[in-house]
Amino acid sequence: MAERSFAREVEDLKLGAGEVFRGEGILAITKALLQSGISYVGGYQGSPISHLMDVLADAKDVLDELGVHFETSASEATAAATLSASVMYPIRGAVTWKSTAGTNVAADALSNLASGGVTGGAMIVIGEDYGEGSSIMQERSHAYALKSQIWLLDPRPHLPTIVRMVEEGFALSEVSNTPVMLEIRIRTCHMHGAFVCKDNQKPRYSLREALENPVRNVNRIVLPPASFLHEKEKHERRLPAAVAFVKERRLNETFGPATGEVGVVMLGGMHNATMRALEYLGLAGSHGECSVPLYVLNVAYPLIEEELVDFCRGRKAVLVVEEGAPEYIERDLNTILRRRDIQTKISGKDVLPMGGEYTAPVLIQGLRKFLAVHARELLGNEPPIPDPAPVLADPRVKKLAETVPPRPPGFCIGCPERPIFAAMKLVEDELGPHHVSADIGCHLFSILPPFNIGATTMGYGLGPASASAFNVPAGKRSISMLGDGGFWHNGLASSIGNAVFNKHDGVTLIVDNFYSSATGGQDIPSSRAFNPRRKTNNSIANAVRGVGARWVRQIDRTYDVAKLRDTLREALTTKASGPKIIVASSECMLNKQRRVRPLINSAIKAGQRVVREKFGVDEDVCTGDHACIRLSGCPSLSVKQTDDPLKDDPIAAIDENCVGCGNCGEVAEAAALCPSFYRAEILHNPTRFDRAMERIRSSVINWFEARRMKRRPRLAGEPA
């Protein structure tokens, strides 16, 4: 169950020649793939390309009509291996995944694919997750393109250009027998625009034809001596063919005047931010006009030396705009010019930062420094730019920073993973701290307050594997985390199978929340929901037993903190040898609310009787020590002031965002905290019986209350 449906957007994929597509960048790429006549498409979801996978999943009817096979891959390596269909046959195919994290996983398949080369067009749509909105290590995909000689397209953020680069990318792949990467940044994926459509194309050569007419070419298989010939072929035939194609089709673009003392060379993805910075400096307009010559690299690799030489020749200086380090383009441009004895000054990382996203404010500073040295006269039209310092220095802003504490990323309200780590904290209080190997996924938030659990994280599905070195006799066992998404991605073999094979004595806790929740709620093999197009309901517990695990415990309700605590304590203290595996299962609360809330609202609107649970805190009982908050961390569990003169500290309180999971009460009971939590039932559309029972309950409560008031001691002079 993905986080949203694209049923409406899927209709736009049917637009024909001459019709105008209006929408998001990632959807435009999907449309461009269909216009390019692909036979198959696959991939692994992850920011910022999850929507591409979700759209394709919702577009089954469109794909079936065109004869396109779509498959959600088990991992990025699986997706990359799928491109082997284009090695022997003139079949166009595309796969997608999340930038360097995914490319790391796919590296083995990519190396083999790039070495042997392809016959049909093969494209990898890379969601480049770099900069302020990133959730992973700060690296770029450029290095992989250079290492394996895979052509790298980096289109400027402009839907017609992006669509054209997709279509031309397949042709480039076929002309040069080389796979192509299409790099799309976060902001580009989610920008909106329009382009004029073409008709969707059925594959020129289908997968069925390939199966019925098998082809075998030993020269495309990576074995000696062919592998040595591949290296030679890359440089002697494939590279020149790619360069000639890029030049002939004019895939790179120039803007601004043809002449000028200075110019700017930039990666395509940097175009919009650079134009914005030039606009602030008075050197560009809001409609694309520019006073500085620009050369835009929609093809980041290979570089077209003749075009770069023509652009730089005769100029005093050129600024290279490329994010991250090392400065690949800047270094190559220096080499190209010096070999031709062209002395144009190349600037780049001397005025721009080595790392970090090049936002407009960053580029404004870099461009100003560059122009101040090489073309000061161009800064004469610079409009005044407000200095943010006075705003930050305002006493009201400072006071706000002191009052509002920083809030680190954390689990959602009602998240079923929160009670798991509450139980771990309780066991830690009993048995002391243990080494905890974390993993990629929502559960990685456990390393932050209030839990502060986890020492390392090494990759998706590699939590238990990263504890491998600790398989030694000691007074304590290691604990490792693994999510259900990571388990099916890489963990079953690399982590669980490895632990079984090496008789690892540690404890592995597998968090099963029914979906690949961190990437948007896509179904995975262990999803409990029925999926008509996928085989779901595959048990994780059965899978680990299948690879030889013997000590396995299944907990089907993670909100039972006491049971989790006791099971974890048993795993850490048992004399049983081999890996101890706990599978803790409960549905992702975000997905559950997406599924349940519409049903509840419809039932209420239809006049049906509906009971909803909410939790609260008894103000008279709460002592204000906030231990419940330290062991829960739920965003709906907060504090408020009390009018009780005997209580100095604010008491705990539950706000209206509560989803009724019950974790706060379970934690309070398991940790033997104050019994201040209560559960209330909110009844919609009550029946006559419900109203009668309410009157009876109210009468009984009022009777006891009146009786209590009569019996309480009275002060002297107090009226009866």
Side-chain angles (χ1 to χ4, degrees), residues 95-177:
V95 295
T96 185
W97 58 69
K98 173 191 181 78
S99 67
T100 50
T103 312
N104 291 339
V105 177
D108 192 2
L110 288 181
S111 293
N112 281 276
L113 183 74
S115 182
V118 295
T119 301
M123 178 173 288
I124 306 132
V125 180
I126 297 288
E128 190 75 347
D129 196 3
Y130 181 89
E132 291 181 348
S134 174
S135 62
I136 61 168
M137 71 291 291
Q138 293 297 275
E139 296 179 358
R140 296 184 299 158
S141 302
H142 204 119
Y144 271 100
L146 297 176
K147 174 188 75 68
S148 297
Q149 189 167 299
I150 298 174
W151 313 138
L152 179 62
L153 308 183
D154 188 3
R156 66 185 174 98
H158 173 242
L159 291 199
T161 301
I162 293 170
V163 171
R164 183 188 174 216
M165 287 302 111
V166 172
E167 296 172 341
E168 297 281 18
F170 282 106
L172 171 61
S173 177
E174 291 167 347
V175 163
S176 60
N177 301 118

Side-chain angles (χ1 to χ4, degrees), residues 28-56:
I29 293 172
T30 312
K31 172 62 174 160
L33 291 174
L34 300 182
Q35 293 179 177
S36 300
I38 58 172
S39 290
Y40 64 94
V41 59
Y44 191 83
Q45 63 275 353
S47 175
I49 49 80
S50 289
H51 284 178
L52 194 153
M53 297 295 295
D54 294 339
V55 169
L56 288 167

Side-chain angles (χ1 to χ4, degrees), residues 25 28 155-165 188 191-195 253 255 268 271-272 298:
R156 66 185 174 98
H158 173 242
L159 291 199
T161 301
I162 293 170
V163 171
R164 183 188 174 216
M165 287 302 111
T188 305
M191 65 172 284
H192 283 249
F195 68 93
E253 300 174 289
F255 298 95
H271 175 265
N272 289 13
N298 290 319

Side-chain angles (χ1 to χ4, degrees), residues 265-462:
V265 173
M266 71 190 75
L267 292 171
M270 296 287 95
H271 175 265
N272 289 13
T274 303
M275 288 295 291
R276 183 67 168 162
L278 288 169
E279 183 180 354
Y280 270 109
L281 295 172
L283 299 173
S286 56
H287 297 288
E289 62 274 17
C290 183
S291 302
V292 179
L294 307 177
Y295 179 67
V296 180
L297 293 166
N298 290 319
V299 182
Y301 175 68
L303 295 177
I304 311 304
E305 295 189 10
E306 290 78 6
E307 291 183 358
L308 286 165
V309 168
D310 289 345
F311 181 80
C312 295
R313 183 182 282 117
R315 302 198 195 281
K316 180 180 176 182
V318 168
L319 175 66
V320 178
V321 179
E322 60 173 323
E323 286 178 326
E327 56 274 42
Y328 297 114
I329 307 297
E330 185 179 345
R331 291 179 181 180
D332 286 348
L333 184 53
N334 266 304
T335 300
I336 291 168
L337 297 183
R338 302 310 166 239
R339 283 178 176 172
R340 288 165 173 77
D341 198 25
I342 297 173
Q343 299 307 312
T344 301
K345 169 69 176 177
I346 301 301
S347 185
K349 297 300 183 183
D350 54 333
V351 295
L352 290 166
M354 288 295 292
E357 185 176 2
Y358 283 2
T359 58
V362 172
L363 288 169
I364 289 171
Q365 295 183 21
L367 283 162
R368 187 188 286 122
K369 290 178 184 177
F370 171 74
L371 294 172
V373 174
H374 301 290
R376 179 173 291 275
E377 66 279 3
L378 292 177
L379 292 174
N381 295 324
E382 181 180 359
I385 300 175
D387 184 0
V391 176
L392 299 178
D394 189 294
R396 290 171 296 179
V397 175
K398 290 185 176 180
K399 188 66 177 176
L400 185 66
E402 295 171 2
T403 306
V404 180
R407 181 178 178 182
F411 298 106
C412 301
I413 294 173
C415 176
E417 301 188 17
R418 183 177 286 106
I420 294 173
F421 297 103
M424 290 181 69
K425 293 298 287 186
L426 295 175
V427 173
E428 181 181 283
D429 188 53
E430 294 180 37
L431 305 180
H434 290 70
H435 174 83
V436 178
S437 295
D439 205 320
I440 303 297
C442 298
H443 44 278
L444 192 57
F445 290 134
S446 65
I447 68 172
L448 300 173
F451 301 114
N452 303 301
I453 291 174
T456 59
T457 179
M458 298 305 294
Y460 202 29
L462 296 178

Side-chain angles (χ1 to χ4, degrees), residues 4-12 58:
R4 59 167 291 196
S5 168
F6 288 90
R8 194 210 64 76
E9 288 85 349
V10 164
E11 294 302 310
D12 293 339
D58 286 342

